[in-house]
Amino acid sequence: QSVLTQPPSVSAAPGQKVTISCSGSSSNIGNNDVSWYQQLPGTAPKLLIYDNNKRPSGIPDRFSGSKSGASATLGITGLQTGDEADYYCGTWDTSLSAGGVVFGGGTKLTVL
Amino acid sequence: QLQLQESGPGLVKPSETLSLTCTVSGGSISNPNYYWGWIRQPPGKGLEWIGSIYYSGSTYYNPSLKSRVTTSVDTSKNQFSLKLSSVTAADTAVYYCGRTRGLREIGYWGQGTLVTVSS
C-alpha cells in the first residue's frame, strides 16, 4: 500500500482535459514539494512536473501541477493518444516509518 | 546530455546479494547539487524508492529495506552502486538508477534493468 493515494485509473477522450489527484499527509505533501512522472509502456519514468507546478524544459504546457494542503493534482489538457501512460506522484516523507522518497501507487490514463 | 546506465546480473539466487552499478555520463557525479538514487518497480506494480547517496558518501535509505541495502559511490569512475542482501522472489523488479536534485525530484533516470530472483 502506497504512502500517497492516487486513483488507479482515469480516462477521457482525445482533446479533452483530465486531472489526476494525489493525496498524502502533513509528513509528506503537506510540507514538501511534489513531483509528477509519466511512464509510457515499457519505458523508464520521465519527470513531468517538479516543485508542485514547474515543468522541465521540453515538457509542453498541456501538463500542469498544483498543490493545496496535503493534496496535489496533475492536469493534462488537449489529450492525445500518446499521453496514454502511467502517472506517478512523488515527494519526500519525514515520518520515521516512511522517511525518504515516497510515490503514489500510479494512475493509468486511457485516452478513449 | 546526462545519461545513466544500470549494469549487473539479471538473475540472482534466493538468499544471495543483488549487485548493480550505475554509470553516469555527460555530467559529474561529484556535482554538489545532486544525490544519486535507486528505485525499483516489480512487474506490473508501482515505483519504490530504495535509497539515495551523495558524492561524499552520505546516504538515505527506505526504512523498509534499510537493513539489507548498501550503496556506494566511486567518483573516479563516475559510478555508484547498490547491494541488496538476502534477496527473495519479492525483490524481483526492474531496477532504475536516477539523479535527484538535492532530495527532491528525480530529473534523470536510467533505462532500467530487470533483476529476477530465482533458483
Side-chain angles (χ1 to χ4, degrees):
Chain A
Q1 189 165 348
S2 303
V3 173
L4 306 179
T5 301
Q6 297 181 235
S9 63
V10 295
S11 62
Q16 297 300 304
K17 174 183 178 178
V18 71
T19 60
I20 298 172
S21 61
C22 177
S23 178
S25 67
S26 59
S27 68
N28 43 66
I29 293 178
N31 283 286
N32 294 287
D33 292 323
V34 176
S35 52
W36 287 91
Y37 305 88
Q38 177 193 60
Q39 186 175 33
L40 297 169
T43 70
K46 173 185 175 182
L47 179 66
L48 278 183
I49 298 289
Y50 68 100
D51 288 355
N52 306 317
N53 56 20
K54 297 176 182 174
R55 284 176 287 107
S57 174
I59 300 300
D61 60 6
R62 299 189 299 108
F63 296 91
S64 64
S66 64
K67 188 183 102 167
S68 177
S71 294
T73 302
L74 173 70
I76 311 172
T77 60
L79 276 172
Q80 303 173 1
T81 55
D83 296 331
E84 283 204 341
D86 293 323
Y87 292 83
Y88 294 90
C89 56
T91 189
W92 185 262
D93 192 299
T94 56
S95 68
L96 290 176
S97 60
V101 176
V102 292
F103 294 103
T107 298
K108 183 176 183 60
L109 169 63
T110 300
V111 180
L112 302 168
Chain B
Q1 178 74 347
L2 189 78
Q3 292 186 319
L4 297 90
Q5 179 68 58
E6 306 88 352
S7 59
L11 181 63
V12 181
K13 289 181 168 56
S15 80
E16 296 191 344
T17 296
L18 177 160
S19 296
L20 295 174
T21 295
C22 182
T23 301
V24 179
S25 58
S28 173
I29 202 168
S30 299
N31 188 316
N33 295 312
Y34 303 108
Y35 273 73
W36 305 90
W38 291 97
I39 307 96
R40 70 181 183 178
Q41 184 172 35
K45 297 188 177 181
L47 302 171
E48 180 181 35
W49 173 72
I50 299 170
S52 298
I53 187 167
Y54 197 51
Y55 75 96
S56 64
S58 174
T59 57
Y60 289 88
Y61 294 142
N62 185 325
S64 69
L65 298 170
K66 187 175 183 177
S67 63
R68 299 194 291 129
V69 172
T70 304
T71 58
S72 60
V73 62
D74 187 335
T75 56
S76 67
K77 294 182 178 180
N78 230 31
Q79 294 176 335
F80 60 105
S81 299
L82 168 71
K83 292 187 185 299
L84 181 65
S85 64
S86 304
V87 298
T88 69
D91 295 309
T92 294
V94 175
Y95 285 75
Y96 297 100
C97 60
R99 189 186 80 172
T100 308
R101 181 174 62 101
L103 292 168
R104 303 163 79 88
E105 77 280 356
I106 305 166
Y108 287 90
W109 297 68
Q111 67 183 28
T113 186
L114 175 62
V115 179
T116 301
V117 178
S118 175
S119 55

